[in-house]
Amino acid sequence: MLTAPAHYDLSVQGQRLRVTARGVWTIETAASINDALERDYGAVTYDSVDYHLDGVEDMDTAGAYLLTKAMRVGDDIKDWQLVGGTPAQKTLLSVAADAQMGEPPMEPRQWYDILDRLGRATLRFWDELYATLAFVGQFFVMFFGVLLNPRRLRVKSIVALMEEIGLDAAPIVAMLSFAIGAVIAYMGANLLGALGFSVFMVDLVGVAMLRELAVVITAILIAGRSASAFTAQIGAMKMRQEIDAMTVMGLDTFETLVIPRAIACLLTVPILTFLAMMSGILGGLIVAWATPTQISPALFFSRLQETVDLQHFWVGMVKAPFFALVIAVVGCRQGLAVSGSVDSLGSRVTTSVVQAIFAVILIDAMFAVLFYQLGV
């Protein structure tokens, strides 16, 4: 049974409208005074609204929405505050006010909007760069601290992560590298065979796979597979407040979550790179043997040993630890930056993959310039 219908009083003091509500403001009672209340709102002039709800016995979202119609009369949006009432009533009014005031349609401002987006993107870039550099500095301090005190290493976590990062990724790395080696061999057979230099296809496959493609393909695959996994795992822990619980227990976040993943990447990415090199060369060998060039395996390996210097192998292997650290740092950094929403987790996972792949290609280009200057 309803104890009291919805009643209200309106009074204007200066430019402030005082709305005093009493009774039960629910969908059953408030609808009966909707038209009268709207007319009374439109009959007075004011700049802001004060709500006094001490006499309200009950209120739902329908009643709150009806009261907040005072905040928007025509195209003018009014300021408001709750003077008397409970926290629950304030929450209802806030939700109803957000729905009531909504974003007004904006006129297109082509050049202004472009510059605005560009400026915001620039600020986000510098903020992200600063946060990443701070994270990298903190990471290396903790990383060298753990290396100087090996008892702090979490061996079980490192072994489990090595299985996840390395062993589980080995089939896809080998398969993709095999396919890339085969594609390069086919290209070499077509282009060089037309000139009568089919045997140089071996040089092309060897140098390309050992020096560049094997390590880059491996790094990109690990960036898409493991960096996203790091971000998702750590981000989910942060959303469930597990990281806060670890901090309360006295566990260091870097030592527990970041360092094991970095060490696991450091140990597995070079091994996967070597596997990718061998798979790519095997793909090139099979294509060279199967195509009309008919380069036998013996001739293939003999040519490879004679013309492809061992330094190409070491150039590729030297890059692997740097790529591994970049992938681990970016993945963990984005995971720790996740806020409490699912949208934030999805956004950070995407950012993690994009940043990791971008960093891998950028570092590879820097190595290419460096090795060119060194004559390697």
Side-chain angles (χ1 to χ4, degrees):
M1 293 293 293
L2 298 175
T3 58
H7 292 287
Y8 65 91
D9 291 321
L10 303 182
S11 61
V12 179
Q13 300 174 352
Q15 290 297 315
R16 300 189 70 85
L17 173 65
R18 175 183 175 127
V19 179
T20 304
R22 298 182 301 276
V24 177
W25 287 73
T26 62
I27 192 169
E28 292 85 3
T29 60
S32 62
I33 60 172
N34 178 40
D35 295 337
L37 186 59
E38 285 190 354
R39 286 196 302 270
D40 291 341
Y41 282 157
V44 294
T45 303
Y46 54 93
D47 292 334
S48 57
V49 186
D50 291 341
Y51 287 100
H52 296 259
L53 306 182
D54 292 328
V56 173
E57 300 177 14
D58 190 17
M59 184 171 66
D60 61 9
T61 52
Y65 186 77
L66 184 60
L67 284 170
T68 55
K69 285 188 174 182
M71 299 176 196
R72 186 161 191 168
V73 178
D75 294 329
D76 297 330
I77 297 176
K78 314 296 184 183
D79 187 20
W80 69 279
Q81 65 176 349
L82 180 62
V83 178
T86 65
Q89 291 172 344
K90 184 174 183 179
T91 301
L92 280 174
L93 283 181
S94 298
V95 173
D98 292 340
Q100 188 70 249
M101 292 189 292
E103 287 292 336
M106 297 181 62
E107 296 182 0
R109 299 170 297 177
Q110 185 175 1
W111 293 109
Y112 177 87
D113 290 341
I114 291 174
L115 294 176
D116 179 69
R117 289 195 297 269
L118 180 62
R120 292 178 185 274
T122 303
L123 289 176
R124 287 196 302 269
F125 170 78
W126 287 113
D127 289 342
E128 186 72 19
L129 180 62
Y130 176 80
T132 301
L133 291 177
F135 186 89
V136 169
Q138 187 177 0
F139 165 78
F140 278 109
V141 169
M142 181 60 65
F143 181 72
F144 289 118
V146 171
L147 293 183
L148 293 175
N149 187 8
R151 289 178 299 178
R152 296 165 59 185
L153 285 174
R154 299 177 177 270
V155 179
K156 291 184 179 180
S157 297
I158 293 173
V159 173
L161 287 165
M162 286 179 64
E163 179 182 1
E164 178 186 341
I165 299 168
L167 186 61
D168 294 347
I172 185 66
V173 169
M175 187 182 303
L176 187 58
S177 299
F178 181 89
I180 294 296
V183 169
I184 294 175
Y186 268 118
M187 292 176 60
N190 289 330
L191 296 176
L192 299 174
L195 301 175
F197 301 126
S198 300
V199 71
F200 286 99
M201 175 182 64
V202 179
D203 306 39
L204 177 63
V205 172
V207 173
M209 293 305 303
L210 294 178
R211 191 179 184 97
E212 290 292 338
L213 292 181
V215 64
V216 172
I217 290 170
T218 301
I220 290 176
L221 282 174
I222 298 301
R225 187 178 181 277
S226 296
S228 59
F230 294 166
T231 303
Q233 292 165 358
I234 297 175
M237 293 177 65
K238 191 167 184 183
M239 291 175 62
R240 294 192 297 262
Q241 299 182 344
E242 294 178 20
I243 293 179
D244 295 335
M246 291 168 56
T247 304
V248 172
M249 293 168 61
L251 298 175
D252 187 272
T253 303
F254 271 76
E255 185 177 332
T256 307
L257 300 176
V258 180
I259 300 301
R261 285 169 169 79
I263 294 177
C265 280
L266 275 174
L267 295 176
T268 54
V269 171
I271 298 174
L272 290 175
T273 299
F274 179 78
L275 176 63
M277 291 177 177
M278 298 302 103
S279 298
I281 291 176
L282 179 61
L285 183 150
I286 292 176
V287 170
W289 195 12
T291 54
T293 58
Q294 294 183 344
I295 299 175
S296 66
L299 177 59
F300 187 95
F301 282 116
S302 175
R303 178 72 184 181
L304 189 68
Q305 185 177 5
E306 290 177 2
T307 60
V308 180
D309 196 84
L310 190 61
Q311 73 175 6
H312 298 303
F313 169 79
W314 290 115
V315 165
M317 292 301 294
V318 163
K319 300 175 185 178
F322 292 92
F323 293 165
L325 276 180
V326 166
I327 293 169
V329 168
V330 169
C332 295
R333 147 91 178 98
Q334 294 299 327
L336 290 172
V338 171
S339 60
S341 66
V342 178
D343 291 340
S344 174
L345 178 61
S347 174
R348 289 293 177 176
V349 169
T350 303
T351 303
S352 172
V353 175
V354 172
Q355 285 189 358
I357 294 176
F358 175 81
V360 164
I361 296 176
L362 180 62
I363 293 175
D364 184 66
M366 295 170 62
F367 269 115
V369 174
L370 175 63
F371 288 140
Y372 176 79
Q373 294 296 328
L374 295 177
V376 179

